[in-house]
Amino acid sequence: MTFLIYAVPVAGLIGLGFSFWQYRWIASQDPGAANMQQIANRIRSGAMAFLKAEYSVMLGFILV
């Protein structure tokens, strides 16, 4: 049981490190042609609108 007390946080830190490494690798990639960037911006805009709607609904549940 004491092994799990140390293993779980270490596994979490390894996961966070891997996520950071993946983010850095993806961010360093070529963004692509102009039309690909337009599509990516539209997708990002839609995703942010969805998240804003989700957070506003979730806020209602949290406050209640």
Side-chain angles (χ1 to χ4, degrees):
M1 185 68 175
T2 58
F3 171 75
L4 289 177
I5 292 174
Y6 298 108
V8 171
V10 168
L13 290 174
I14 290 171
L16 286 174
F18 179 75
S19 298
F20 179 72
W21 175 71
Q22 282 288 105
Y23 168 77
R24 298 286 297 178
W25 180 78
I26 291 171
S28 70
Q29 299 299 308
D30 180 32
N35 61 343
M36 289 174 62
Q37 291 179 20
Q38 284 179 337
I39 293 169
N41 285 335
R42 290 178 181 165
I43 291 171
R44 183 178 298 113
S45 170
M48 294 310 291
F50 172 78
L51 285 175
K52 182 178 178 182
E54 284 290 311
Y55 287 150
S56 64
V57 169
M58 190 170 64
L59 181 64
F61 283 104
I62 291 171
L63 292 178
V64 171

